Amino acid sequence: MYSLYLTLYGFKLNETVYTWLASGGYIFEVGFLIDTLSAVMMVIVTFISLMVHIYTISYMKDDTGFSRFFSYISLFTFAMLMLVMSNNFLQLFFGWEAVGLVSYLLIGFWYKKPRAIYANLKAFLVNRVGDFGLILGVALIMFWFGTLDYQEVFNRLPALLSQEVVLFNTSISLVTLIGTCLFIGAMGKSAQVPLHVWLPDSMEGPTPISALIHAATMVTAGIYLVARMSPLFELSDFVLSLVIVIGAITAISMGILGIVQNDIKKIIAYSTLSQLGYMTVALGVSAYSVAIFHLLTHAFFKALLFLGAGSVIIGMHHDQDITQMGGLKKYMPVTALTFLIGSLSLIGTPLFSGFYSKETIIEAASLSSAWGANFAYFALVFGVFFTALYSFRLYFLVFCGEERWHTIRRKKNEHGLKSKEYPVESSKIITIPLVILAIPSIFIGMLLIDPLVYGNFFDGNITVDNKIHTNIDLLASHYHGVWSMAVHSLFTLPLWFAIAGVLLAWALFIKKMKINFKFLNPFKSSLKNNYGFDDFNEKYIAKGILKLGDFLSSKVDIKIIDDFLVNGSGRLVTYFANKLKLIQSGYIYHYAFFMIIGLFLLISFFVRT
């Protein structure tokens, strides 16, 4: 918070602490960049992490890995801070890989659960795909720019703007190639389609880490990377359009999947995927400050929703199926109220934090002239409807209506499991973080939209090409304050789509109206299977790699390396040894004869030359 205070008054730190390695003309340094962009990220990471640490005291109190969990989440926070505070790509890559490693440890925290081991391995492997793109981008930067320092790279961009490289017999702009590689890295960390498949499975980890991963740390790294690299991304229209299209597809497709989930944490996980799509679209239309603004508001209400879900899970004795809940508002009033606040902010209810950031992203997409922006606008608007539908489906099934959990309790008691007759509100160590997070989920949007989006808060730290893409001046012409923005929303599509989603959820899950959705039957299987991404990965990619491994093991490793190179070289030495040993007769006159012949040949050679 102190760093944010300093940056408000123009303080900026960009210093090298020490030289880590010097090799072949390249210098690798450890340094820190503290400006308004990194300060905002630092506040988000540390505040959410603090709430998660407090919450964890109660949530994990009976777990045998209590101390181990605290060490992991502290290391997770450190890794993310190193990432956002770095002033060079080397240190960024260190933080980038560190959050990936610790997420692997945390997702598989309950290492005796097969699903947890499967989930953390899946997260690790999918992120390696994205990280391969990132390391290629960093390698290209080091080769062509001769440095990994952010500022030096930005200063040398104009000189290499026209540089072309040949890739697969095709000439491509160097800036476009680097931007594409860096964005592939961002796609992995921020779980954009098709590298999104790891994020829903990460719910196998304890709920506090779900909140930390989804709200403040790992998934925000990709958004931060693109915003930090705005001077580079602004030079390639192709990369920006790619960012827009990927973000739009993620926003609407993942929002739809949230409707068919029954696991309380997985619904919120798909919500995170969808909201990351919104942020990515904002980056693509060059509204970087708006993307960071939504990242900020989203961090609070998404952490609130995850921790609220954890409170519900405790009350339901670790049953996560929302179809077996209901009526919990009566027994868990604090959790219900704070969860409602988080849901209202998520769907973009006027005057709540999520409204200001999400509405601004949608308007930025509508005003952009970039290729793909029109598609993104319609995807985001329809995404609002699905967000409202899955959010209030979740709220109504968990906190309202009939109490369906009585049957489950009876079955548990029949199997000798002791449980209270009724759920009870969680302890104050859990509810206090919920109340604290609920406050910014309501107010932080209206308080910070002026300085962060329309002010000069990010000047000098984010670069926007005003000639081509959405610029803040154009957005500002449609903005006349937080209250007028709320009033104006009454005449825009997003609000009415949100209302329609809430009303449909109310009709289906409170009033139990029978609405014929037979036309959706052909899509149910696809939705339940995550559009077939997991099946495709397992059937073709995973099995393909296994077959390739078998081929390399049987043909290359055994036949070529073992039989031909290793054993073959041995056989070759044995063959020549057997031939050479024939001349070892043991008679002196045989050796003298060879010496004379050799001397004769040597003399003949020198005389001839």
Side-chain angles (χ1 to χ4, degrees), residues 285-287 289-290 359-367 453-454 470-480:
V285 298
S286 300
S289 60
V290 182
E359 189 77 13
T360 309
I361 290 175
I362 294 172
E363 189 163 6
S366 69
L367 296 174
V453 176
Y454 300 109
T470 298
N471 60 79
I472 301 305
D473 293 336
L474 187 58
L475 275 173
S477 66
H478 294 255
Y479 173 75
H480 301 287

Side-chain angles (χ1 to χ4, degrees), residues 34-73:
I34 309 298
D35 57 11
T36 52
L37 180 57
S38 58
V40 168
M41 295 298 299
M42 290 162 63
V43 169
I44 295 171
V45 172
T46 52
F47 185 83
I48 301 299
S49 180
L50 173 62
M51 294 298 103
V52 170
H53 274 74
I54 295 171
Y55 181 95
T56 302
I57 294 172
S58 178
Y59 192 89
M60 300 290 290
K61 64 181 179 181
D62 297 324
D63 197 287
T64 56
F66 183 83
S67 301
R68 178 165 56 93
F69 188 79
F70 268 95
S71 66
Y72 284 171
I73 59 176

Side-chain angles (χ1 to χ4, degrees), residues 413-425:
N413 289 330
E414 288 171 4
H415 288 82
L417 298 176
K418 295 181 179 179
S419 61
K420 294 182 178 179
E421 182 66 23
Y422 298 101
V424 295
E425 184 61 89

Side-chain angles (χ1 to χ4, degrees), residues 15 95 123 126 138 141 151 205 207 253 255 260 279 305 321 332 345 349-350 354 357 407 415 464 481 501:
E15 296 291 339
V126 173
V138 172
I141 289 172
Q151 196 57 53
T207 299
S253 62
V260 299
M279 298 177 209
L305 290 172
D321 188 346
M332 308 179 73
S345 189
T349 306
S357 54
T407 305
H415 288 82
V464 179

Side-chain angles (χ1 to χ4, degrees), residues 336-371:
L337 177 60
T338 54
F339 202 94
L340 176 61
I341 291 171
S343 299
L344 290 171
S345 189
L346 170 62
I347 69 172
T349 306
L351 302 181
F352 283 74
S353 293
F355 161 75
Y356 292 102
S357 54
K358 184 181 287 187
E359 189 77 13
T360 309
I361 290 175
I362 294 172
E363 189 163 6
S366 69
L367 296 174
S368 176
S369 59
W371 188 90

